[in-house]
Amino acid sequence: MVLLHVKRGEESLFLLEVGVSTGVGEVLERVVQLHNATLKVLDCADIEQLAEYGPSLPPEMQGLADEQIEELNLKDDWAEKSVASGGEVENRDPTGRRCGRQPTEKIRKVLLDAVREAKGLVSKELAKAGTPMTLRHPQDALALLGGAVTMAYPAGLPPHDPVREERESRERLEGTQAGKMVLESAMTQLWFAGKELQCDKRLRDYLGNNEKTKVIVKVQRRGVGAPAREPQLTPDQQKALMVQQFKRREELQKLEEAEDDSYLDSSWADSRQLHRSFQGLCNITWKPH
């Protein structure tokens, strides 16, 4: 199996294991699926907000002061339904988007621990460790997050809560940073060694028949052009080279100092100094008459 190190720009994403006979179009689909599923796992900010401030308020109540809500006669119909297991304590959301009913410390720990473990399942450290990623990794991470949310809120979250929208794939990505990161197969290209991989060809057309090859493949949006080539030296190799050059300069400097013969001009280095001193010929100066 060929090991593809998938990158986006200079950012390492994951390792993908495929056969050389696999079509480029199929590889592209798998890369896009893995990338988008991983993004969904890593975007856990809403679950962290849920653990801190409770479920989301209805859109028409968000950002309003209590007096404005009372004046407009607005009501949160989910306030009595969506209650955290074990009780809640008041913790007002400074942004006014959530209800301000924080779960107990035990439930908060369940949610935050799930976030940390889920991120670990799709961490970029997997690539550093040489572990290929499969679709099972983000699926397990999403299942872990979903189980924690269900445990925390057995009666469910309001339909307008971002956490529930993400679980039901109803999240609104337009105009968001996450939306800019999501890939679409029709608008995505794979590049290897400065060449675009054509979807109607197979990997062997570019990599040969060696199944034990490991190569870097870059993801790029269609129409942007070729991505930057990989540097000849990795960051670690560059650091090692700089250290080696620094040590070499120090060694040359020490050699120059060791070869310095200016001491020969000193009086103590004169082999006839003792003879002159006996004859009284030291420190003789000549003065004009």
Side-chain angles (χ1 to χ4, degrees):
M1 301 291 280
V2 176
L3 197 60
L4 304 181
H5 185 180
V6 183
K7 288 188 171 185
R8 189 172 187 179
E10 296 302 319
E11 181 186 8
S12 173
L13 298 180
F14 48 80
L15 299 179
L16 178 63
E17 203 170 41
V18 293
V20 292
S21 60
T22 309
V24 173
E26 181 183 342
V27 175
L28 176 61
E29 287 290 340
R30 290 175 62 180
V31 168
V32 170
Q33 285 182 354
L34 275 175
H35 176 269
N36 292 344
T38 301
L39 279 182
K40 198 166 187 175
V41 174
L42 295 176
D43 187 18
C44 295
D46 288 316
I47 295 181
E48 294 170 342
Q49 291 290 308
L50 175 67
E52 192 69 23
Y53 303 113
S56 179
L57 289 168
E60 63 273 13
M61 294 176 61
Q62 294 182 11
L64 299 180
D66 293 341
E67 297 80 8
Q68 293 173 308
I69 292 175
E70 185 176 351
E71 183 180 345
L72 295 172
N73 196 27
L74 298 176
K75 182 182 178 182
D76 184 2
D77 295 330
W78 278 81
E80 297 179 359
K81 302 177 185 178
S82 186
V83 179
S85 177
E88 298 170 328
V89 295
E90 185 176 355
N91 185 30
R92 295 185 68 87
D93 182 2
T95 66
R97 294 190 303 112
R98 294 187 172 273
C99 66
R101 303 194 312 273
Q102 184 187 75
T104 62
E105 187 63 30
K106 180 179 179 181
I107 295 301
R108 290 183 68 241
K109 187 176 186 303
V110 169
L111 291 171
L112 297 178
D113 284 352
V115 168
R116 185 179 65 255
E117 292 178 27
K119 288 182 176 180
L121 288 174
V122 295
S123 170
K124 292 180 175 60
E125 296 299 318
L126 293 175
K128 293 182 180 179
T131 304
M133 185 179 291
T134 66
L135 201 55
R136 184 67 181 269
H137 287 83
Q139 287 175 345
D140 288 347
L142 291 172
L144 178 64
L145 293 173
V149 171
T150 301
M151 183 184 299
Y153 290 89
L157 292 170
H160 50 264
D161 193 292
V163 175
R164 178 170 171 179
E165 289 179 341
E166 289 173 6
R167 291 184 65 189
E168 297 175 355
S169 299
R170 295 187 292 109
E171 64 269 37
R172 296 178 292 274
L173 298 175
E174 295 80 5
T176 65
Q177 185 62 31
K180 296 177 182 179
M181 296 298 293
V182 171
L183 296 176
E184 298 179 17
S185 299
M187 297 300 297
T188 304
Q189 298 171 321
L190 293 179
W191 290 75
F192 164 68
K195 296 180 181 179
E196 179 191 351
L197 304 186
Q198 301 296 328
C199 290
D200 57 348
K201 293 188 177 182
R202 298 186 178 276
L203 286 181
R204 66 158 59 97
D205 296 327
Y206 301 95
L207 308 180
N209 293 316
N210 187 355
E211 288 281 3
K212 296 186 178 181
T213 304
K214 180 180 179 181
V215 298
I216 294 176
V217 172
K218 291 201 171 185
V219 178
Q220 187 84 326
R221 289 192 182 276
R222 188 174 297 278
V224 177
R229 284 181 173 270
E230 285 292 298
Q232 294 183 349
L233 299 178
T234 66
D236 290 339
Q237 290 173 331
Q238 291 176 354
K239 291 178 182 177
L241 181 60
M242 292 176 65
V243 171
Q244 185 179 2
Q245 290 175 340
F246 178 75
K247 290 181 177 179
R248 179 60 178 165
R249 283 196 297 268
E250 283 189 329
E251 292 174 357
L252 291 175
Q253 185 176 356
K254 289 179 180 179
L255 287 173
E256 289 178 359
E257 293 174 354
E259 294 175 357
D260 186 6
D261 57 0
S262 60
Y263 68 90
L264 295 175
D265 296 330
S266 303
S267 59
W268 57 264
D270 188 354
S271 61
R272 302 181 64 186
Q273 178 69 12
L274 181 62
H275 181 69
R276 289 197 188 97
S277 65
F278 284 134
Q279 294 181 341
L281 298 177
C282 293
N283 300 322
I284 298 176
T285 59
W286 300 92
K287 293 183 181 180
H289 294 287

